Amino acid sequence: MGKQETEMLKGVLEGVVLAVIAKRPAYGYEITASLRDRGFADIAEGTVYAVLVRIEQRGMVDALKVPSEKGPPRKVYTLNAQGRQSLEEFWRTWSFLADRLTQLHTEDIDADNADNAEGA
């Protein structure tokens, strides 16, 4: 993963984790595995756990320790009302930024095409 990609992912990872938890309650490893299945192959488990600690401290998720057959109890995270509100705000912001960036990119492509047409 390149430095620019890593930096951009840091900016959206909290919203991405909230989106995964919104689909169903999950524990840390499940969330990391889900992200890897969605193409975030290089994401470190420790990075996801740091996000989970932060969003729990901010009151966006409820956490419940559930017994595990394979070891110590797992902390299962569930999105609560504040988390759903934060996720909705994340998607609104994402849509705004994606629209503006697409517009900017399209303008660049159009300008390049116009330059190429003039040079031909």
Side-chain angles (χ1 to χ4, degrees):
M1 185 180 301
K3 183 175 177 156
Q4 187 177 38
E5 188 177 342
T6 300
E7 291 301 316
M8 291 177 81
L9 182 57
K10 281 182 187 175
V12 296
L13 192 56
E14 187 174 295
V16 170
V17 169
L18 288 174
V20 170
I21 297 171
K23 297 197 179 301
R24 67 179 184 86
Y27 57 92
Y29 181 76
E30 285 181 311
I31 295 165
T32 303
S34 175
L35 292 174
R36 288 180 178 158
D37 288 346
R38 287 176 165 84
F40 298 101
D42 294 335
I43 198 156
E45 207 169 320
T47 303
V48 172
Y49 281 106
V51 170
L52 288 170
V53 167
R54 191 169 53 242
I55 63 177
E56 183 181 7
Q57 288 175 342
R58 291 183 183 167
M60 297 177 195
V61 292
D62 296 325
L64 179 66
K65 286 199 174 185
V66 176
S68 169
E69 295 174 8
K70 297 181 179 177
R74 293 176 171 153
K75 207 169 190 180
V76 175
Y77 297 90
T78 304
L79 201 65
N80 60 27
Q82 186 176 338
R84 279 190 290 280
Q85 186 177 2
S86 293
L87 182 58
E88 287 172 16
E89 184 179 332
F90 170 78
W91 287 127
R92 272 194 307 274
T93 304
W94 177 259
S95 293
F96 173 82
L97 291 172
D99 288 348
R100 298 313 175 276
L101 290 170
T102 299
Q103 182 181 15
L104 187 61
H105 187 216
T106 303
E107 288 170 3
D108 286 348
I109 291 171
D110 291 344
D112 287 345
N113 288 340
D115 289 345
N116 289 337
E118 288 176 14

